[in-house]
Amino acid sequence: MTEKMKQEWELSALYKGVDDPQIEADLSQAIKDAEKFNREFKGKIQTTRNAKFLSDALQRYESLQRIALVPYHYAYLLFAGNSEEEKHNALLARAREILTMVTETTLFFELELLQIDAGDYEQLVADDRVKPYRHYLDNSRAQAPYALSEEVEQVIKRKDLSGKEAFVQLFDEVTSSFRYRFTMPGESEERETTGEELLSLLYHPDRGARENAFATFLNKHAENSKVLTNCFNNILLDHGREADLRKYPDLMTPTHLSSETEPEMVEKLMEVTEQNYGLAQRYFRLKKELLGYDELKNSDLYAPVGETARKFDYDEAKRLVLSSFSEFSGEMAEPAEAILEQGHTDVFPRPGKSGGAFCMGILPEWNPYVMLNFTGNLRDVSTLAHELGHGIHYSLSCRQNLFHYHAPLPMAETASVFAEMLLTRKLLEQESEPSLKIALLCSKIEDIIATTFRQNVLTRFEQAAHEMRGKKLLATDDYCNLWWQENGKLFGDAVVMIEPYRWGWSYISHFIHARFYCYSYVFGELLVLALYQRYLLEGEAFVPKYLELLSGGGSDKPQSLLEPLGIDLSDANFWQSGYDFVASMVDHLEGLVADAK
């Protein structure tokens, strides 16, 4: 495989290409298997007292899910790599339609699981043949109070395809098609750039370039206000109507159920975060001093300090990240290296490619796929560590069945953020120059602020937008005003927001793809800070416990997975300890700055 090929996804292990007839064969097989599953098991699950029968049904259900998911994920990877190719769009739509049909045909299964008598259920899950699926079954049955009849559930699935899922795809297609005219720093003429290239300039040393790039990016979204506002309005309305239909006690209830989190715990986490907004403002004032500015704009938040303005080539970034993993454990470095070497990464930005970065795990026995938009700044190196951390999590959870392969949402960042901490330690250890240490500490503190305080702001905005949408059709200005208000609470008088930032809400894809996803970043970051402190205290003794935590995947509730490490998620002091660690980092930074004067 050439180096160029390694910098783009090598997807031939899935299918030979977008026109591979095996794709349609698998989609057709998925439908046939779903129909056969329906004929053989429908009406029999809720009354079964036979562990072998239930075990057979679970294995069959897992098998047909595998057949349907592979072409869908393949289509999504193609689409993320190039949404301008019509064949990619068509295949994704086709795969999504088939997946919906499979879901409709097998919907009875999870509904009947809810209706198994409690006494019979306890006997069934105690059997060794059913026990491996226990957590999945418990999660399914937690939905019982909100489940509707099979006919209604099928209608909901069917309307989603032309409803909220259609608006999700519209949002993705529209935003990935955006082209920007901009004069890049060091160039004399305006040219076409991608959104990722513009956002990468937020880390550029030139203040004017940062603000102009951010404004250009945001103004393009403002120009498309009608489409973007309609996407938000329809997706939020859909969620509110379904919440009413299912009689959820709160709009966040489905997220709590899927994430296995308690509403009280999440609210406590967010309240503790808001109580520490002053800590973020303390850092912002220090950053203003370091930059020598009279005022700090939000386009300056990631301005480089000292040598972090330098660029990293991709090979250097890989070496740094893999070395930081190896120093922690070879068991952490090996799966990351495999992802890189097997062509499971798509590295550089290009027209038509989706923005941001992600890691996709498809099946437990396959290495996951990582998408980057690497432009060479320090944050991109950190993003490489972050996404490979997700890949390590998937690789270590490969011993789990498909239902337990994915970690619950709040635990999904456990490996990724820890990987970033290991990288930061590596970078700090190899630097002796105080100015470089200052720059690196600034970069890490800014990452933490973005992953805790900013994500809390995003969650509060989302809550407010959903609540207002339940009362009326929101105008564009409604979204802009809510966004401005929530960000103002974090920034206080320490940061001045540039006017185009009113449109900052319109490019956050998490609002479109998953409801109330963003609090999981706060959870994950603070959890990792606690875990990292344990590592500093325990050293090598911590390593196997941490790897075992990752290996658990989604096989238990977050609290149960964390109990062996002595963590109590219901304790507000636990969440505060994470911010205490951040405060110690700011203390350290202030000391370095004072010594450097």
Side-chain angles (χ1 to χ4, degrees):
M1 182 182 296
T2 67
E3 188 59 32
K4 181 179 179 181
M5 289 176 67
K6 289 183 182 179
Q7 293 170 359
E8 294 184 14
W9 278 318
E10 171 51 56
L11 303 177
S12 60
L14 304 179
Y15 296 103
K16 294 177 182 178
V18 67
D19 296 316
D20 188 343
Q22 188 60 46
I23 299 174
E24 188 59 37
D26 286 349
L27 292 172
S28 298
Q29 188 63 50
I31 292 294
K32 291 176 183 176
D33 287 354
E35 290 171 346
K36 186 177 181 182
F37 182 82
N38 182 289
R39 290 193 301 271
E40 294 183 9
F41 292 101
K42 186 173 182 179
K44 302 174 184 177
I45 301 298
Q46 65 194 54
T47 57
T48 187
R49 296 182 178 181
N50 187 316
K52 182 181 185 307
F53 180 82
L54 181 56
S55 174
D56 289 345
L58 286 162
Q59 291 177 46
R60 287 274 298 281
Y61 187 61
E62 180 180 4
S63 178
L64 71 88
Q65 293 290 327
R66 285 168 166 268
I67 294 173
L69 285 172
V70 173
Y72 173 77
H73 283 110
Y74 176 73
Y76 188 83
L77 291 172
L78 288 177
F79 175 83
N82 184 5
S83 64
E84 294 181 345
E85 174 57 61
E86 286 301 322
K87 286 185 177 181
H88 296 174
N89 297 349
L91 179 60
L92 180 59
R94 169 70 173 156
R96 184 176 284 138
E97 289 170 7
I98 296 300
L99 192 58
T100 299
M101 292 171 65
V102 169
T103 302
E104 285 183 27
T105 306
T106 60
L107 194 57
F108 75 90
F109 182 63
E110 291 195 352
L111 293 175
E112 289 191 26
L113 288 174
L114 308 183
Q115 298 166 19
I116 298 175
D117 176 79
D120 292 339
Y121 176 75
E122 289 302 324
Q123 289 185 7
L124 288 166
V125 293
D127 189 282
D128 288 341
R129 291 165 291 188
V130 178
K131 195 178 295 182
Y133 298 94
R134 171 70 190 254
H135 188 58
Y136 159 71
L137 294 169
D138 286 348
N139 272 351
S140 296
R141 286 171 67 85
Q143 303 282 346
Y146 316 109
L148 305 169
S149 70
E150 183 181 355
E151 292 77 12
V152 175
E153 294 285 1
Q154 285 178 332
V155 169
I156 290 174
K157 292 292 182 185
R158 194 167 297 172
K159 66 88 181 169
D160 282 349
L161 192 60
S162 57
K164 67 178 180 183
E165 291 182 14
F167 281 101
V168 169
Q169 185 157 351
L170 176 62
F171 176 89
D172 288 345
E173 290 182 8
V174 168
T175 54
S176 64
S177 73
F178 286 170
R179 297 292 175 269
Y180 308 83
R181 301 297 301 177
F182 192 78
T183 303
M184 299 295 286
E187 299 180 7
S188 58
E189 295 184 2
E190 188 177 80
R191 64 175 174 87
E192 185 177 278
T193 62
T194 66
E196 288 300 320
E197 288 177 293
L198 290 179
L199 291 178
S200 74
L201 291 179
L202 288 172
Y203 305 88
H204 194 275
D206 184 88
R207 191 181 197 189
R210 292 195 300 269
E211 183 171 347
N212 289 337
F214 201 23
T216 299
F217 177 81
L218 292 165
N219 286 333
K220 174 64 72 173
H221 289 73
E223 292 168 13
N224 290 268
S225 63
K226 185 171 292 187
V227 174
L228 297 177
T229 301
N230 269 283
C231 286
F232 271 73
N233 269 329
N234 282 285
I235 287 172
L236 268 61
L237 177 64
D238 178 276
H239 183 74
R241 290 289 172 82
E242 185 167 335
D244 287 342
L245 186 63
R246 295 186 183 279
K247 295 181 171 54
Y248 287 133
D250 184 82
L251 289 170
M252 289 181 69
T253 297
T255 306
H256 290 311
L257 289 171
S258 62
S259 300
E260 302 174 73
T261 51
E262 296 297 326
E264 298 78 13
M265 182 274 288
V266 173
E267 184 59 30
K268 187 176 298 181
L269 160 68
M270 296 178 68
E271 288 174 356
V272 169
T273 299
E274 287 157 347
Q275 290 162 12
N276 285 273
Y277 277 178
L279 174 60
Q281 294 166 16
R282 175 183 160 200
Y283 172 75
F284 295 146
R285 293 188 179 96
L286 181 59
K287 181 69 178 279
K288 181 178 71 172
E289 177 187 338
L290 284 167
L291 294 173
Y293 295 163
D294 292 331
E295 65 177 16
L296 188 73
K297 298 181 180 181
N298 63 320
S299 52
D300 299 322
L301 295 180
Y302 306 111
V305 177
E307 290 299 315
T308 52
R310 78 179 179 91
K311 291 288 187 177
F312 296 80
D313 66 45
Y314 182 55
D315 287 338
E316 181 184 10
K318 288 192 294 185
R319 287 194 299 271
L320 280 169
V321 170
L322 291 175
S323 175
S324 68
F325 292 174
S326 294
E327 290 172 9
F328 177 77
S329 170
E331 289 185 59
M332 192 166 180
E334 288 170 11
E337 191 166 1
I339 292 168
L340 293 169
E341 290 301 316
Q342 293 176 10
H344 284 226
T345 50
D346 196 297
V347 181
F348 299 109
R350 58 180 179 271
K353 182 178 177 180
S354 296
F358 65 77
C359 178
M360 177 182 284
I362 301 178
L363 298 177
E365 63 270 24
W366 290 357
N367 276 329
Y369 288 84
V370 167
M371 192 190 82
L372 307 167
N373 275 281
F374 189 87
T375 60
N377 58 43
L378 179 60
R379 183 171 176 79
D380 289 337
V381 183
S382 184
T383 298
L384 175 62
H386 182 101
E387 299 305 337
L388 287 177
H390 280 305
I392 291 163
H393 203 162
Y394 280 126
S395 297
L396 291 176
S397 66
C398 67
R399 71 186 189 190
Q400 305 296 335
N401 60 53
L402 182 62
F403 303 122
H404 296 161
Y405 175 47
H406 296 271
L409 188 59
M411 301 292 289
E413 303 299 323
T414 306
S416 55
V417 178
F418 196 89
E420 290 184 58
M421 293 298 295
L422 294 176
L423 173 66
T424 299
R425 182 182 70 164
K426 173 73 176 177
L427 291 168
L428 285 171
E429 285 179 349
Q430 72 179 24
E431 297 292 352
S432 57
E433 176 61 40
S435 62
L436 295 180
K437 287 184 178 291
I438 288 172
L440 290 167
L441 264 176
C442 284
S443 179
K444 189 57 203 172
I445 292 170
E446 287 160 15
D447 282 344
I448 293 172
I449 288 173
T451 314
T452 53
F453 297 117
R454 182 171 185 269
Q455 297 300 326
N456 200 78
V457 167
L458 265 57
T459 305
R460 289 302 194 200
F461 163 81
E462 194 173 8
Q463 287 177 321
H466 275 270
E467 182 179 354
M468 186 179 289
R469 183 66 184 93
K471 299 173 183 176
K472 67 172 187 175
L473 179 71
L474 269 61
T476 298
D477 282 347
D478 291 323
Y479 287 110
C480 291
N481 291 337
L482 287 174
W483 179 255
W484 199 260
Q485 291 164 16
E486 291 302 328
N487 279 273
K489 293 174 185 177
L490 170 60
F491 292 142
D493 61 2
V495 176
V496 176
M497 293 180 281
I498 64 172
E499 185 61 26
Y501 192 58
R502 291 186 180 278
W503 292 91
W505 57 274
S506 65
Y507 74 92
I508 308 297
S509 62
H510 287 322
F511 296 155
I512 296 295
H513 289 273
R515 308 296 78 77
F516 307 106
Y517 180 91
C518 295
Y519 83 76
S520 66
Y521 286 108
V522 190
F523 182 112
E525 183 77 40
L526 295 179
L527 171 60
V528 165
L529 292 176
L531 292 173
Y532 187 71
Q533 290 179 82
R534 298 284 177 90
Y535 171 50
L536 295 179
L537 289 171
E538 299 178 17
E540 289 296 320
F542 173 84
V543 174
K545 291 186 286 187
Y546 176 72
L547 295 177
E548 183 64 22
L549 172 67
L550 299 185
S551 299
S555 60
D556 213 334
K557 294 181 178 181
Q559 181 60 70
S560 299
L561 290 168
L562 291 165
E563 279 174 1
L565 292 102
I567 290 174
D568 180 5
L569 298 177
S570 66
D571 185 1
N573 292 325
F574 166 73
W575 301 114
Q576 182 59 45
S577 70
Y579 289 116
D580 292 342
F581 184 75
V582 179
S584 72
M585 295 177 71
V586 177
D587 290 340
H588 185 194
L589 177 61
E590 288 175 336
L592 289 172
V593 172
D595 292 341
K597 289 181 178 179

